[in-house]
Amino acid sequence: MIAPATNDVLNRRLAIHNRSLPVYLSDAAPWTHQGDEQAAAALVQITAAHRIMVDRIGDFLIERDGMSEAGAFPSQDASWHDLTLDFLLARLVQAQEQNVAAIAQCVDQLTGEPMAKALAQEALGEAKGHLESLEEMVKQPS
C-alpha cells in the first residue's frame, strides 16, 4: 500500500497534468487562424504528453492500492476558450511555468518512494521541455 503522503503528492501531480490549461484548451478549442499551425501542433503534443502522464500516474497509484483524484479545472481557465491561440501563448507560458514549479515541489516531496520520484523527475524534464517550446513560439515574430 502506498503511503498517504505519497498518494497526496501523486494526486497533486495527477491534477497538474489532467487539469492543465493545454488539456482544457484542447477540449475548448480556442480560435485559430493561418499562422497558428505551429502553436496548434504544440498544444496537441503537450496535451498528449499530459494525458500519457495522467495514465502513468494513475497506473502507479492503482498498482500500489492508492486512490486517484482527477482534480478540477481552475475556474479562471473557463475564460480562455474564446480567445485566439496566438494571444493565449503568453498565458500558456505562464501556466507552464507554474506547472514546472509545482512538479519540482512534488519531486522534492517524494523522498520515500524512489519509483514515484523517478516518474516525477521524468515529468519535470518533460514540462521544462514544453516550457522551452512555448517560450520559443512567443519569441517568434507574428
Side-chain angles (χ1 to χ4, degrees):
M1 180 139 205
I2 195 165
T6 301
N7 195 90
D8 291 345
V9 172
L10 290 173
N11 273 305
R12 279 198 308 276
R13 287 214 23 252
L14 186 73
I16 289 167
H17 296 287
N18 197 41
R19 300 303 183 206
S20 67
L21 183 57
V23 170
Y24 177 80
L25 292 175
S26 73
D27 293 334
W31 292 36
T32 59
H33 53 77
Q34 190 171 5
D36 284 345
E37 295 84 9
Q38 184 180 8
L43 184 62
V44 167
Q45 182 181 36
I46 292 168
T47 299
H50 283 213
R51 289 185 172 145
I52 290 168
M53 190 56 66
V54 165
D55 289 344
R56 291 181 65 199
I57 295 167
D59 289 345
F60 186 89
L61 286 166
I62 289 168
E63 289 169 6
R64 285 159 181 77
D65 295 324
M67 303 222 8
S68 65
E69 299 173 25
F73 284 110
S75 59
Q76 72 267 15
D77 286 357
S79 63
W80 299 113
H81 73 281
D82 59 348
L83 300 172
T84 62
L85 185 54
D86 58 340
F87 176 83
L88 287 170
L89 277 175
R91 175 64 185 115
L92 282 162
V93 167
Q94 183 182 41
Q96 193 63 25
E97 289 170 340
Q98 292 168 351
N99 288 348
V100 166
I103 295 168
Q105 184 179 32
C106 290
V107 168
D108 292 341
Q109 294 172 342
L110 290 169
T111 56
E113 181 70 60
M115 291 182 70
K117 187 168 186 155
L119 187 59
Q121 289 170 325
E122 181 182 336
L124 180 58
E126 188 174 79
K128 287 178 178 179
H130 292 151
L131 177 58
E132 288 175 12
S133 296
L134 290 168
E135 287 173 334
E136 285 299 315
M137 281 184 263
V138 169
K139 291 178 186 175
Q140 292 177 357
S142 303

